[in-house]
Amino acid sequence: MRNGAQSAGADRTGTVGRVARRGIVGGALVLGLGACGLVGGDGNTGAICTDTKQAYQQYIDQVRSASAADPAPWKQATEQLAGRIDGLAKKAEKKELKKALTDESARLRTAAASVGTGDAAQLNAAMSGTPERIGNACS
């Protein structure tokens, strides 16, 4: 039983990492597809959506090599992404996009705190809804 508990704990850590990575990669790809078709429109919306996509792609690249057993790089990368998204929100001219990005930044900051302790649940929840929330605001 003791060995079973240790194995379950080790598996849980690995599973959290795999789930987080899968959610991040899938969410960012859908986000990218949703924002890619945007041409022109409201002020700087196209540029902000393109920059948002790039921020998420860079985040994916950064955490892809991070160990699930070491939450510090995940926290740092997530905090950095939140800061970039917040900066883009401040530049956005379209009211709906500004709000969506501001809300995303807040979700990411909350998720960064918990992912820093090894809990990826809030990060997964934040990332799973990102494509729809940002995609809708970019259209």
Side-chain angles (χ1 to χ4, degrees), residues 7-137:
S7 295
D11 184 53
R12 184 181 153 272
T13 301
T15 301
V16 169
R18 284 191 300 276
V19 170
R21 286 190 188 118
R22 193 175 315 124
I24 290 166
V25 172
L29 290 177
V30 174
L31 171 66
L33 293 174
C36 277
L38 188 63
V39 179
D42 298 321
N44 65 353
T45 298
I48 296 294
C49 291
T50 297
D51 290 350
T52 300
K53 175 186 171 185
Q54 290 173 345
Y56 275 93
Q57 291 295 342
Q58 290 171 350
Y59 175 75
I60 291 166
D61 292 343
Q62 197 172 0
V63 297
R64 196 172 266 155
S65 62
S67 169
D70 182 8
W74 286 80
K75 179 180 181 180
Q76 180 181 5
T78 306
E79 287 173 340
Q80 288 172 349
L81 177 60
R84 288 187 67 190
I85 298 303
D86 193 43
L88 290 167
K90 290 176 182 172
K91 294 179 186 177
E93 295 171 5
K94 183 179 174 185
K95 184 178 177 179
E96 295 84 5
L97 181 56
K98 182 181 286 289
K99 179 171 178 11
L101 292 172
T102 300
D103 291 350
E104 250 358 88
S105 177
R107 282 184 194 89
L108 289 167
R109 288 186 199 291
T110 300
S114 64
V115 82
T117 65
D119 179 4
Q122 287 186 3
L123 179 60
N124 286 332
M127 290 296 188
S128 69
T130 296
E132 182 178 347
R133 291 185 297 263
I134 301 298
N136 287 343

